[in-house]
Amino acid sequence: MAKAAPAEQLKLLELQGLDAKLKSLANRRRSLETDPRIEDLQAALSIANGELGAAKMAVHDAQAELKRAEADVEQVAGRIERDEARLNSGTGLSKDLVALQKDIASLNKRRSDLEDVELEVMERLDALRERQAAQQKIVDDVQGSFGVIRAELDGQLAEIAAEETVVRGRRAVFAAGLDAGMLAVYEKTLARRGVGAARLFHGTSEGSGMQLSPGDLAEIKAAAEDDIVFCPDSGCILVRSAEWV
């Protein structure tokens, strides 16, 4: 059985306090790193970016459609201009000039129809651009909220990291002054059980929070003062004191 002087064993409670503080800080860090607001905002941002991408594609397609409509109108307007120039020249047979007038009339009707299409596409493009702008604002708002929360969390994480550095430093200095054999037992117990040491107080193990059975209690009381004893329930080292009996 491992041994250490009672006064030395009492020091384990201070070491456990430092380890409990480190554990608490680690739990706080994990809680911040898994803040549900971040996951929710990431999901919202993914959806918003998807909608923005669709809006941009719709604008792109409408712009291409408008270019085609403008080209169609320009092509018909060019034919009308050429035909009117021929008609105004007065050259050619009368039947050809009559046919040219009919062609110009037909082309003007075609241009009017094409301009209606062009106008419809322009109006639709304006609406799509407004939709894109609105969706961009949604993305910007979500990104802004994400940035605010991320900065808040990063600030808290930085504070935790700074506090962990201080506590780890204190622990290292304190642990260096402990009995090496006892410290090795404590470290092994801490790694396996999550708690390295706790008080035995009026028959209750503060490691498990449970009252020890009469048999277990009698066995621990019968152990030598420098024996390192363990909680039968939690497995941590039980630190005893005559004042706590």
Side-chain angles (χ1 to χ4, degrees):
M1 178 179 290
K3 292 180 177 289
E8 194 71 10
Q9 291 189 41
L10 282 172
K11 295 178 182 178
L12 289 177
L13 296 179
E14 184 172 348
L15 183 62
Q16 178 60 60
L18 293 171
D19 283 328
K21 179 63 175 177
L22 288 172
K23 184 176 182 179
S24 174
L25 290 170
N27 288 338
R28 283 176 56 196
R29 183 177 65 253
R30 282 192 293 272
S31 177
L32 291 172
E33 290 172 343
T34 57
D35 191 306
R37 293 177 299 172
I38 292 295
E39 185 176 347
D40 291 345
L41 283 172
Q42 286 176 330
L45 186 58
S46 177
I47 294 172
N49 276 324
E51 293 291 336
L52 179 59
K56 288 180 177 179
M57 183 59 69
V59 168
H60 177 271
D61 291 345
Q63 287 174 330
E65 187 177 353
L66 179 59
K67 286 182 179 180
R68 291 193 296 271
E70 290 172 340
D72 290 343
V73 170
E74 186 177 350
Q75 183 181 30
V76 172
R79 286 186 57 189
I80 292 173
E81 185 178 352
R82 290 192 299 273
D83 287 354
E84 286 181 340
R86 286 176 58 195
L87 182 64
N88 293 333
S89 70
T91 59
L93 299 176
S94 62
K95 66 175 182 178
D96 293 334
L97 295 177
V98 170
L100 199 56
Q101 288 178 325
K102 291 181 179 180
D103 188 42
I104 291 173
S106 176
L107 288 172
N108 278 321
K109 175 64 171 61
R110 174 63 176 159
R111 180 170 65 178
S112 176
D113 291 342
L114 289 174
E115 286 175 342
D116 288 342
V117 171
E118 181 183 15
L119 180 61
E120 184 276 328
V121 175
M122 290 176 64
E123 291 174 346
R124 180 153 45 89
L125 179 57
D126 287 341
L128 290 172
R129 283 172 172 160
E130 289 179 3
R131 175 191 166 197
Q132 178 183 335
Q135 193 60 39
Q136 182 66 62
K137 185 177 185 306
I138 292 174
V139 170
D140 293 343
D141 288 346
V142 175
Q143 287 178 329
S145 298
F146 185 89
V148 170
I149 293 174
R150 185 69 267 172
E152 172 193 329
L153 295 177
D154 287 345
Q156 294 180 42
L157 287 169
E159 291 176 1
I160 289 174
E163 190 171 357
E164 281 180 324
T165 298
V166 172
V167 176
R168 288 187 189 282
R170 287 172 53 197
R171 185 193 191 279
V173 172
F174 186 76
L178 299 180
D179 176 85
M182 180 188 72
L183 179 62
V185 174
Y186 171 86
E187 297 285 16
K188 183 177 180 180
T189 304
L190 178 67
R192 292 180 59 188
R193 306 294 184 175
V195 177
R199 290 195 309 174
L200 175 60
F201 192 71
H202 298 312
T204 296
S205 165
E206 293 187 347
S208 66
M210 298 179 64
Q211 182 79 25
L212 270 62
S213 70
D216 288 334
L217 193 56
E219 184 177 340
I220 290 174
K221 285 183 176 181
E225 288 186 348
D226 62 348
D227 284 343
I228 295 178
V229 298
F230 298 87
C231 171
D233 296 308
S234 68
C236 72
I237 297 171
L238 283 180
V239 178
R240 300 161 289 160
S241 169
E243 299 175 359
W244 302 336
V245 175

